[in-house]
Amino acid sequence: MLTHLDENNQPKMVDVSLKNETLRIAKASGIIRMSEEAFRAIKENTAKKGPVLQTAVVAAIMGTKKTSELIPMCHPLLISSVKVDIKELKNAFKLFVSVKITGKTGVEMEALTGVSVGLLTIYDMVKAIDKAMVIDEIMLLSKSGGKSGEYVRS
């Protein structure tokens, strides 16, 4: 039986009240690819909307915290930590989000949402330069804690 459907096939939020609290960590990443001109504007801090990468970091943190408001079956969580890193690639940026809680449910969706919102923020801030940017490879890299244990992408 699917966990988000009840016996009458109606949507429901999973009851986590009987689960044990454990330390849970999830890490996700994604890439935004762009023109050399857009990349240069971000690197040289000449984008008209302001400091793109710093704004993307704040947006990723906010997206992480707002996940339960965006994804219908996600529980509101008391997040302990959100860490955002950005790596430069050739005409691209790879954004990493790591989320940590001590709780009864995992934080995979929070990490993935943080990555998505951070990358969308980069797009928004330089779309006047390059509307053809591509956001891709959004993925869970690892998770730990909870009944299902460890997962590490190979």
Side-chain angles (χ1 to χ4, degrees), residues 16 24 64-65 67-68 74-80 99 101 103-108 110:
V16 297
R24 296 163 184 266
T64 298
K65 292 171 23 176
T67 299
S68 68
C74 284
H75 292 81
L77 301 176
L78 186 58
I79 294 171
S80 304
V99 183
I101 76 164
K104 297 180 175 210
T105 187
V107 287
E108 298 92 341
E110 286 72 13

Side-chain angles (χ1 to χ4, degrees), residues 2-72:
L2 297 174
T3 59
H4 287 89
L5 294 175
D6 67 15
E7 59 279 350
N8 297 317
N9 211 31
Q10 294 299 310
K12 71 170 184 174
M13 182 182 260
V14 173
D15 181 356
V16 297
S17 60
L18 298 177
K19 285 184 159 187
N20 293 324
E21 285 195 356
T22 62
L23 176 64
R24 296 163 184 266
I25 300 170
K27 296 177 184 175
S29 68
I31 296 174
I32 184 165
R33 301 178 199 289
M34 62 196 64
S35 67
E36 187 176 336
E37 182 184 5
F39 184 80
R40 223 177 20 257
I42 293 170
K43 286 281 299 156
E44 295 169 3
N45 205 19
T46 58
K48 292 182 179 176
K49 290 188 176 185
V52 176
L53 298 180
Q54 294 91 331
T55 305
V57 168
V58 173
I61 293 167
M62 290 176 68
T64 298
K65 292 171 23 176
K66 297 283 191 179
T67 299
S68 68
E69 296 175 32
L70 300 169
I71 310 294

Side-chain angles (χ1 to χ4, degrees), residues 26-144:
K27 296 177 184 175
S29 68
I31 296 174
I32 184 165
R33 301 178 199 289
M34 62 196 64
S35 67
E36 187 176 336
E37 182 184 5
F39 184 80
R40 223 177 20 257
I42 293 170
K43 286 281 299 156
E44 295 169 3
N45 205 19
T46 58
K48 292 182 179 176
K49 290 188 176 185
V52 176
L53 298 180
Q54 294 91 331
T55 305
V57 168
V58 173
I61 293 167
M62 290 176 68
T64 298
K65 292 171 23 176
K66 297 283 191 179
T67 299
S68 68
E69 296 175 32
L70 300 169
I71 310 294
M73 300 305 176
C74 284
H75 292 81
L77 301 176
L78 186 58
I79 294 171
S80 304
S81 170
V82 179
K83 185 173 188 275
V84 180
D85 290 311
I86 301 174
K87 178 181 176 183
E88 288 180 26
L89 305 173
K90 180 166 175 35
N91 294 335
F93 294 95
K94 186 169 186 176
L95 192 137
F96 299 86
V97 173
S98 177
V99 183
K100 184 190 310 186
I101 76 164
T102 298
K104 297 180 175 210
T105 187
V107 287
E108 298 92 341
M109 293 307 301
E110 286 72 13
L112 289 162
T113 300
V115 166
S116 300
V117 172
L119 293 173
L120 286 167
T121 298
I122 294 170
Y123 185 97
D124 176 57
M125 293 186 76
V126 293
K127 67 182 183 272
I129 299 169
D130 181 8
K131 289 178 181 40
M133 287 178 282
V134 174
I135 295 172
D136 62 6
E137 298 184 38
I138 296 173
M139 65 184 79
L140 182 67
L141 299 174
S142 65
K143 62 86 59 196
S144 63

